[in-house]
CSV table of all heavy atoms in Angstrom, one decimal:
chain,number,residue,atom,x,y,z
A,229,PHE,N,-4.4,-12.3,-8.8
A,229,PHE,CA,-3.8,-11.2,-8.0
A,229,PHE,C,-2.4,-11.5,-7.4
A,229,PHE,O,-1.8,-10.6,-6.9
A,229,PHE,CB,-4.8,-10.8,-6.9
A,229,PHE,CG,-6.2,-10.3,-7.4
A,229,PHE,CD1,-7.3,-10.7,-6.8
A,229,PHE,CD2,-6.2,-9.6,-8.5
A,229,PHE,CE1,-8.7,-10.3,-7.2
A,229,PHE,CE2,-7.3,-9.1,-9.0
A,229,PHE,CZ,-8.7,-9.5,-8.4
A,230,GLY,N,-2.1,-12.8,-7.3
A,230,GLY,CA,-0.8,-13.2,-6.6
A,230,GLY,C,-0.2,-14.4,-7.1
A,230,GLY,O,-0.9,-15.2,-7.7
A,231,VAL,N,1.1,-14.5,-7.0
A,231,VAL,CA,1.8,-15.7,-7.5
A,231,VAL,C,3.1,-15.8,-6.6
A,231,VAL,O,3.6,-15.0,-6.1
A,231,VAL,CB,2.4,-15.6,-8.9
A,231,VAL,CG1,3.2,-14.4,-9.1
A,231,VAL,CG2,3.0,-16.8,-9.3
A,232,ASN,N,3.3,-17.1,-6.1
A,232,ASN,CA,4.5,-17.4,-5.4
A,232,ASN,C,5.6,-17.9,-6.2
A,232,ASN,O,5.5,-18.1,-7.4
A,232,ASN,CB,4.2,-18.2,-4.1
A,232,ASN,CG,3.8,-19.6,-4.5
A,232,ASN,OD1,4.0,-20.1,-5.7
A,232,ASN,ND2,3.3,-20.4,-3.5
A,233,ASN,N,6.8,-18.2,-5.6
A,233,ASN,CA,8.0,-18.7,-6.3
A,233,ASN,C,7.8,-20.1,-6.8
A,233,ASN,O,8.7,-20.4,-7.6
A,233,ASN,CB,9.2,-18.4,-5.4
A,233,ASN,CG,9.6,-17.0,-5.3
A,233,ASN,OD1,9.4,-16.2,-6.2
A,233,ASN,ND2,10.1,-16.7,-4.2
A,234,GLY,N,6.8,-20.8,-6.3
A,234,GLY,CA,6.5,-22.1,-7.0
A,234,GLY,C,5.5,-22.1,-8.1
A,234,GLY,O,5.3,-23.1,-8.6
A,235,GLY,N,5.1,-20.9,-8.5
A,235,GLY,CA,4.2,-20.8,-9.6
A,235,GLY,C,2.8,-20.9,-9.2
A,235,GLY,O,1.8,-21.1,-10.1
A,236,GLN,N,2.5,-21.0,-7.9
A,236,GLN,CA,1.1,-21.1,-7.4
A,236,GLN,C,0.4,-19.7,-7.6
A,236,GLN,O,0.9,-18.7,-7.1
A,236,GLN,CB,1.0,-21.5,-5.9
A,236,GLN,CG,-0.5,-21.6,-5.4
A,236,GLN,CD,-0.4,-22.1,-3.9
A,236,GLN,OE1,0.7,-22.3,-3.4
A,236,GLN,NE2,-1.6,-22.1,-3.3
A,237,VAL,N,-0.7,-19.6,-8.3
A,237,VAL,CA,-1.4,-18.4,-8.6
A,237,VAL,C,-2.8,-18.3,-7.8
A,237,VAL,O,-3.4,-19.3,-7.7
A,237,VAL,CB,-1.7,-18.3,-10.1
A,237,VAL,CG1,-2.4,-17.0,-10.4
A,237,VAL,CG2,-0.4,-18.5,-10.9
A,238,VAL,N,-3.1,-17.1,-7.3
A,238,VAL,CA,-4.3,-17.0,-6.5
A,238,VAL,C,-5.0,-15.8,-7.1
A,238,VAL,O,-4.5,-14.9,-7.6
A,238,VAL,CB,-4.1,-16.9,-5.1
A,238,VAL,CG1,-3.4,-18.1,-4.4
A,238,VAL,CG2,-3.3,-15.6,-4.6
A,239,GLY,N,-6.4,-15.9,-6.9
A,239,GLY,CA,-7.2,-14.8,-7.3
A,239,GLY,C,-8.7,-15.1,-6.9
A,239,GLY,O,-9.0,-15.7,-6.0
A,240,ARG,N,-9.6,-14.7,-7.8
A,240,ARG,CA,-11.0,-14.9,-7.7
A,240,ARG,C,-11.6,-15.3,-9.1
A,240,ARG,O,-11.1,-14.8,-10.1
A,240,ARG,CB,-11.8,-13.9,-7.1
A,240,ARG,CG,-11.6,-12.5,-7.8
A,240,ARG,CD,-12.9,-11.7,-7.8
A,240,ARG,NE,-13.9,-12.2,-8.7
A,240,ARG,CZ,-14.9,-11.4,-9.2
A,240,ARG,NH1,-15.0,-10.2,-8.7
A,240,ARG,NH2,-15.8,-11.9,-10.0
A,241,SER,N,-12.6,-16.2,-9.0
A,241,SER,CA,-13.2,-16.6,-10.3
A,241,SER,C,-14.8,-16.7,-10.0
A,241,SER,O,-15.2,-17.2,-9.0
A,241,SER,CB,-12.7,-17.9,-10.8
A,241,SER,OG,-13.4,-18.4,-11.9
A,242,ASP,N,-15.5,-16.4,-11.0
A,242,ASP,CA,-16.9,-16.7,-11.0
A,242,ASP,C,-17.1,-18.2,-11.0
A,242,ASP,O,-16.3,-18.9,-11.8
A,242,ASP,CB,-17.7,-16.1,-12.2
A,242,ASP,CG,-17.8,-14.6,-12.1
A,242,ASP,OD1,-17.4,-14.0,-10.9
A,242,ASP,OD2,-18.2,-13.9,-13.0
A,243,THR,N,-18.0,-18.8,-10.3
A,243,THR,CA,-18.2,-20.3,-10.4
A,243,THR,C,-19.4,-20.5,-11.3
A,243,THR,O,-20.2,-19.6,-11.7
A,243,THR,CB,-18.5,-20.7,-9.0
A,243,THR,OG1,-19.7,-20.2,-8.5
A,243,THR,CG2,-17.3,-20.5,-8.0
A,244,ALA,N,-19.7,-21.8,-11.5
A,244,ALA,CA,-20.8,-22.2,-12.4
A,244,ALA,C,-22.1,-21.7,-11.8
A,244,ALA,O,-23.1,-21.4,-12.5
A,244,ALA,CB,-20.9,-23.7,-12.6
A,245,GLY,N,-22.1,-21.7,-10.4
A,245,GLY,CA,-23.3,-21.2,-9.7
A,245,GLY,C,-23.4,-19.8,-9.6
A,245,GLY,O,-24.5,-19.2,-9.1
A,246,GLY,N,-22.5,-18.9,-10.1
A,246,GLY,CA,-22.5,-17.6,-10.2
A,246,GLY,C,-21.7,-16.8,-9.2
A,246,GLY,O,-21.2,-15.7,-9.4
A,247,GLY,N,-21.6,-17.3,-7.9
A,247,GLY,CA,-20.9,-16.7,-6.9
A,247,GLY,C,-19.4,-16.6,-7.0
A,247,GLY,O,-18.8,-17.7,-7.3
A,248,PRO,N,-18.6,-15.6,-6.9
A,248,PRO,CA,-17.2,-15.6,-7.2
A,248,PRO,C,-16.5,-16.2,-6.0
A,248,PRO,O,-16.8,-15.8,-4.8
A,248,PRO,CB,-16.8,-14.1,-7.3
A,248,PRO,CG,-17.9,-13.4,-6.7
A,248,PRO,CD,-19.0,-14.1,-6.8
A,249,HIS,N,-15.6,-17.0,-6.3
A,249,HIS,CA,-14.8,-17.7,-5.1
A,249,HIS,C,-13.3,-17.5,-5.3
A,249,HIS,O,-12.8,-17.5,-6.4
A,249,HIS,CB,-15.1,-19.2,-5.1
A,249,HIS,CG,-16.4,-19.5,-4.5
A,249,HIS,ND1,-16.8,-20.9,-4.2
A,249,HIS,CD2,-17.5,-18.8,-4.2
A,249,HIS,CE1,-18.0,-20.9,-3.8
A,249,HIS,NE2,-18.4,-19.7,-3.8
A,250,ALA,N,-12.5,-17.5,-4.2
A,250,ALA,CA,-11.1,-17.5,-4.2
A,250,ALA,C,-10.6,-18.8,-4.8
A,250,ALA,O,-11.2,-19.9,-4.6
A,250,ALA,CB,-10.6,-17.4,-2.8
A,251,PHE,N,-9.5,-18.7,-5.6
A,251,PHE,CA,-9.0,-19.9,-6.2
A,251,PHE,C,-7.5,-20.0,-6.0
A,251,PHE,O,-6.8,-19.0,-5.8
A,251,PHE,CB,-9.3,-20.0,-7.8
A,251,PHE,CG,-8.6,-19.1,-8.6
A,251,PHE,CD1,-7.2,-19.2,-8.9
A,251,PHE,CD2,-9.1,-17.9,-9.2
A,251,PHE,CE1,-6.4,-18.3,-9.7
A,251,PHE,CE2,-8.5,-17.0,-10.0
A,251,PHE,CZ,-7.1,-17.2,-10.3
A,252,SER,N,-6.9,-21.2,-6.2
A,252,SER,CA,-5.5,-21.4,-6.2
A,252,SER,C,-5.3,-22.1,-7.6
A,252,SER,O,-6.0,-23.2,-7.8
A,252,SER,CB,-5.1,-22.3,-5.0
A,252,SER,OG,-3.7,-22.7,-5.3
A,253,TRP,N,-4.3,-21.8,-8.4
A,253,TRP,CA,-4.0,-22.5,-9.6
A,253,TRP,C,-2.6,-22.9,-9.6
A,253,TRP,O,-1.6,-22.1,-9.2
A,253,TRP,CB,-4.3,-21.6,-10.8
A,253,TRP,CG,-4.0,-22.1,-12.2
A,253,TRP,CD1,-4.9,-22.7,-13.0
A,253,TRP,CD2,-2.7,-22.1,-12.8
A,253,TRP,NE1,-4.2,-23.1,-14.1
A,253,TRP,CE2,-3.0,-22.8,-14.1
A,253,TRP,CE3,-1.4,-21.7,-12.4
A,253,TRP,CZ2,-1.9,-23.0,-15.0
A,253,TRP,CZ3,-0.4,-22.0,-13.4
A,253,TRP,CH2,-0.7,-22.6,-14.6
A,254,THR,N,-2.4,-24.1,-10.1
A,254,THR,CA,-1.0,-24.6,-10.3
A,254,THR,C,-1.0,-25.3,-11.7
A,254,THR,O,-2.0,-25.7,-12.2
A,254,THR,CB,-0.5,-25.7,-9.2
A,254,THR,OG1,-1.4,-26.8,-9.4
A,254,THR,CG2,-0.4,-25.0,-7.9
A,255,ALA,N,0.2,-25.4,-12.4
A,255,ALA,CA,0.3,-25.9,-13.6
A,255,ALA,C,-0.1,-27.5,-13.5
A,255,ALA,O,-0.7,-28.0,-14.5
A,255,ALA,CB,1.7,-25.9,-14.2
A,256,ALA,N,0.1,-28.1,-12.4
A,256,ALA,CA,-0.1,-29.5,-12.4
A,256,ALA,C,-1.6,-29.7,-12.0
A,256,ALA,O,-2.3,-30.7,-12.5
A,256,ALA,CB,0.7,-30.2,-11.2
A,257,GLY,N,-2.1,-28.9,-11.1
A,257,GLY,CA,-3.5,-29.2,-10.6
A,257,GLY,C,-4.7,-28.3,-11.2
A,257,GLY,O,-5.8,-28.6,-11.0
A,258,GLY,N,-4.2,-27.3,-12.0
A,258,GLY,CA,-5.3,-26.4,-12.6
A,258,GLY,C,-5.8,-25.5,-11.4
A,258,GLY,O,-5.2,-25.2,-10.4
A,259,MET,N,-7.1,-25.0,-11.7
A,259,MET,CA,-7.7,-24.1,-10.8
A,259,MET,C,-8.6,-24.8,-9.8
A,259,MET,O,-9.4,-25.6,-10.1
A,259,MET,CB,-8.6,-23.1,-11.6
A,259,MET,CG,-9.0,-21.9,-10.9
A,259,MET,SD,-9.9,-20.7,-11.9
A,259,MET,CE,-8.6,-19.8,-12.7
A,260,VAL,N,-8.3,-24.5,-8.5
A,260,VAL,CA,-9.0,-25.2,-7.5
A,260,VAL,C,-9.9,-24.1,-6.6
A,260,VAL,O,-9.3,-23.1,-6.3
A,260,VAL,CB,-8.1,-25.9,-6.5
A,260,VAL,CG1,-8.8,-26.5,-5.3
A,260,VAL,CG2,-7.3,-27.0,-7.3
A,261,ASP,N,-11.0,-24.5,-6.3
A,261,ASP,CA,-12.0,-23.5,-5.5
A,261,ASP,C,-11.5,-23.7,-4.0
A,261,ASP,O,-11.5,-24.7,-3.4
A,261,ASP,CB,-13.4,-24.0,-5.6
A,261,ASP,CG,-14.4,-23.0,-5.2
A,261,ASP,OD1,-14.1,-22.3,-4.1
A,261,ASP,OD2,-15.6,-23.0,-5.6
A,262,LEU,N,-11.2,-22.5,-3.4
A,262,LEU,CA,-10.8,-22.5,-2.0
A,262,LEU,C,-11.9,-22.3,-1.0
A,262,LEU,O,-11.8,-22.3,0.1
A,262,LEU,CB,-9.8,-21.3,-1.8
A,262,LEU,CG,-8.5,-21.5,-2.6
A,262,LEU,CD1,-7.5,-20.4,-2.1
A,262,LEU,CD2,-7.9,-22.8,-2.5
A,263,GLY,N,-13.2,-22.1,-1.6
A,263,GLY,CA,-14.4,-22.0,-0.7
A,263,GLY,C,-14.6,-20.7,-0.2
A,263,GLY,O,-14.2,-19.7,-0.7
A,264,ILE,N,-15.4,-20.6,0.9
A,264,ILE,CA,-16.0,-19.5,1.5
A,264,ILE,C,-15.9,-19.4,2.9
A,264,ILE,O,-15.7,-20.4,3.5
A,264,ILE,CB,-17.4,-19.1,0.9
A,264,ILE,CG1,-18.3,-20.4,1.3
A,264,ILE,CG2,-17.6,-18.8,-0.5
A,264,ILE,CD1,-19.8,-20.2,0.8
A,265,LEU,N,-16.2,-18.2,3.5
A,265,LEU,CA,-16.2,-18.2,5.0
A,265,LEU,C,-17.6,-18.2,5.5
A,265,LEU,O,-18.0,-17.8,6.7
A,265,LEU,CB,-15.6,-16.8,5.4
A,265,LEU,CG,-14.2,-16.7,5.5
A,265,LEU,CD1,-13.7,-15.3,5.9
A,265,LEU,CD2,-13.6,-17.7,6.5
A,266,GLY,N,-18.6,-18.9,4.8
A,266,GLY,CA,-19.9,-19.0,5.3
A,266,GLY,C,-20.9,-18.2,4.5
A,266,GLY,O,-22.1,-18.3,4.7
A,267,GLY,N,-20.4,-17.2,3.7
A,267,GLY,CA,-21.3,-16.3,2.9
A,267,GLY,C,-21.3,-16.8,1.5
A,267,GLY,O,-21.4,-18.1,1.3
A,268,SER,N,-21.3,-16.0,0.6
A,268,SER,CA,-21.5,-16.3,-0.8
A,268,SER,C,-20.3,-16.0,-1.7
A,268,SER,O,-20.3,-16.5,-2.9
A,268,SER,CB,-22.7,-15.5,-1.5
A,268,SER,OG,-22.4,-14.0,-1.4
Side-chain angles (χ1 to χ4, degrees):
F229 299 137
V231 60
N232 66 15
N233 287 324
Q236 180 182 357
V237 182
V238 299
R240 56 144 282 202
S241 171
D242 290 352
T243 60
H249 284 194
F251 72 76
S252 169
W253 179 96
T254 60
M259 191 174 286
V260 177
D261 191 332
L262 300 187
I264 53 177
L265 278 176
S268 61

